[in-house]
Amino acid sequence: DDIGETFGSLAPSWTKDGKEILFGASDEGNHHLFNIGIKSRKIKKITERDIQIFDYSYNRETDKIVFTYSHPTSPANISVMERSRGKMEFIINPNEQLLKRLRISKPEEFSFKGAKGDTVHGWILKPPNFKKNRKYPLVVEIHGGPHAQYANSFFHEFQILAGSGYIVFYSNPHGSQGYGEKFAKALVNNWGVPDNKDIMNAVDILSRKRYTDKKRMGVTGGSYGGFMTNWIIGHTDIFRAACTQRCVSNLISMTGTSDGGFMMPREFGGPWWKNLDHYWRMSPLKFVKKIKTPLLIIHSEGDMRTPIEQAEQLYIALKLQKRKVKFLRYPEESHGLSRIGRPDRRIHRLKKILEWFDSYLKTKK
């Protein structure tokens, strides 16, 4: 989730005539601009295509909007539109020459039945030189939030894995935004339940594809995606390797150490001291005895959102059980290492993820 994860936070703007408000919102795997009428309350989408808009600037004098956006095969583009016409006019792709020299894979949309029979939206990214008659290792990527979404955006990490010969699967399971309030609220006070069902249903489907080697599957994710990585390998051993990043392992301690700890009682129906057993039941650390999957733990020492004590507790618990685990710590870096970290450390992180999966998924162990 190096540039593609969005939380729908584009600031609203009044239109020139004062009759509408512009705003950005997640919309089924995209991030678009919308108008809402002040009197009519009608909402209209004004951008198009499968894209993720990062930011925009609205000029009230000209009634024009300039915005930056990404799509699955290009990390950054700039376009302009006259709001009244609603037609995007492309200006520039700053990476055009670079992209011509690279092999970029285009993801395929993949929808499937998840928890409660609900349809879940996902994508499959295949290697650029994909061959139908060959079997490939699979890496499952899980987004953070949990109330965020993967978008139709460019992901360096996914492209690197695909370019190295992996099938990459990523999705927006229950709890994700962009699919309605009920879908997003499915995780409230229920972490790791419906989304685990979603992800494992998809893995079951993908493991039966002709091109998937079901004996060589890995799972990874960051933040809440790290929580889910820990949760999954505490409930199944079908993955040969895992990588948990800036993870959550103990909801009780995180409530008191995270800069977002004040939100936990709202998410879980009250503070931990009133429902200690429930907080512990939803903590991946409770299931650490069942974790047998080789695990790479990546965490930043300056992470205030999911403090490094979350990784330390998990690491020590696994070491005491003599499990296969490696702990990679980055000094100075924040929760946003993969997105805004020092460039050399971002590169180092990607190399270590690839090395870890290669060591388990590209051998005959």
Side-chain angles (χ1 to χ4, degrees), residues 32 64 86 91 108 119 129 133 147 158 162 212 217 238 245 283 321 357 361:
H32 283 295
K64 288 186 177 181
I91 297 178
E108 303 170 9
T119 298
N129 57 349
N133 59 351
H147 308 296
F158 300 0
T212 302
M217 299 192 298
I238 67 169
Q245 307 173 54
S283 296
Q321 296 180 86
F357 282 131
L361 306 188

Side-chain angles (χ1 to χ4, degrees), residues 34-102:
F34 295 81
N35 269 341
I36 181 169
I38 302 303
K39 291 185 178 181
S40 69
R41 302 295 177 92
K42 291 183 178 179
I43 297 174
K44 178 184 177 183
K45 183 169 67 177
I46 61 172
T47 49
E48 55 194 28
R49 298 168 47 194
D50 289 335
I51 59 174
Q52 178 193 350
I53 294 178
F54 292 123
D55 204 356
Y56 78 99
S57 177
Y58 173 60
N59 187 314
R60 290 185 180 85
E61 297 299 319
T62 62
D63 202 29
K64 288 186 177 181
I65 307 168
V66 175
F67 52 94
T68 58
Y69 64 96
S70 170
H71 59 74
T73 58
S74 179
N77 303 270
I78 303 174
S79 285
V80 64
M81 71 157 46
E82 290 185 27
R83 189 183 61 87
S84 58
R85 292 177 57 199
K87 184 177 181 180
M88 295 169 53
E89 296 180 13
F90 175 75
I91 297 178
I92 189 172
N93 176 355
N95 300 289
E96 184 176 7
Q97 295 305 314
L98 172 63
L99 292 171
K100 287 180 179 179
R101 303 198 304 268
L102 301 176

Side-chain angles (χ1 to χ4, degrees), residues 119-337:
T119 298
V120 179
H121 184 200
W123 295 264
I124 300 169
L125 190 68
K126 297 175 180 177
N129 57 349
F130 176 78
K131 294 180 174 57
K132 293 181 180 180
N133 59 351
R134 178 181 168 186
K135 285 189 174 295
Y136 295 87
L138 170 73
V139 172
V140 177
E141 291 268 5
I142 307 171
H143 72 62
H147 308 296
Q149 71 159 10
Y150 277 136
N152 279 299
S153 189
F154 186 93
F155 295 89
H156 292 97
E157 182 176 321
F158 300 0
Q159 291 289 343
I160 286 172
L161 287 167
S164 299
Y166 291 93
I167 300 289
V168 180
F169 166 70
Y170 54 108
S171 65
N172 288 327
H174 280 85
S176 302
Q177 65 179 26
Y179 301 87
E181 187 174 2
K182 181 180 177 182
F183 193 85
K185 284 186 173 181
L187 275 191
V188 174
N189 208 21
N190 203 27
W191 283 20
V193 180
D195 48 345
N196 182 63
K197 177 69 172 176
D198 297 339
I199 294 166
M200 297 311 296
N201 278 7
V203 170
D204 179 60
I205 295 169
L206 291 171
S207 69
R208 289 184 274 112
K209 298 284 187 182
R210 291 179 57 188
Y211 53 72
T212 302
D213 187 340
K214 65 180 181 180
K215 294 181 178 180
R216 295 187 295 153
M217 299 192 298
V219 59
T220 185
S223 196
Y224 183 80
F227 168 96
M228 279 306 300
T229 298
N230 299 340
W231 183 273
I232 285 171
I233 62 175
H235 288 77
T236 182
D237 59 1
I238 67 169
F239 294 99
R240 187 184 281 190
C243 174
T244 185
Q245 307 173 54
R246 55 193 183 281
C247 75
V248 176
S249 63
N250 185 340
L251 291 173
I252 299 169
S253 64
M254 183 175 154
T255 302
T257 59
S258 169
D259 65 356
F262 66 91
M263 297 186 293
M264 306 294 270
R266 183 179 63 186
E267 185 77 9
F268 300 123
W272 63 265
W273 57 85
K274 289 187 177 181
N275 203 348
L276 184 63
D277 290 343
H278 183 58
Y279 270 73
W280 184 237
R281 281 197 302 271
M282 287 191 295
S283 296
L285 202 62
K286 172 179 168 57
F287 307 96
V288 72
K289 288 183 180 179
K290 298 180 180 179
I291 295 179
K292 298 178 181 179
T293 305
L295 180 65
L296 172 63
I297 301 173
I298 297 177
H299 221 104
S300 297
E301 293 181 349
D303 193 331
M304 303 297 287
R305 184 56 43 86
T306 58
I308 200 166
E309 56 90 7
Q310 293 289 302
E312 291 168 339
Q313 290 188 61
L314 179 62
Y315 176 70
I316 293 301
L318 291 171
K319 288 296 286 185
L320 288 173
Q321 296 180 86
K322 297 181 171 22
R323 299 288 196 255
K324 293 180 180 178
V325 59
K326 185 175 181 179
F327 190 6
L328 183 58
R329 304 169 63 112
Y330 287 93
E332 304 168 344
E333 298 294 347
S334 71
H335 194 65
L337 166 65

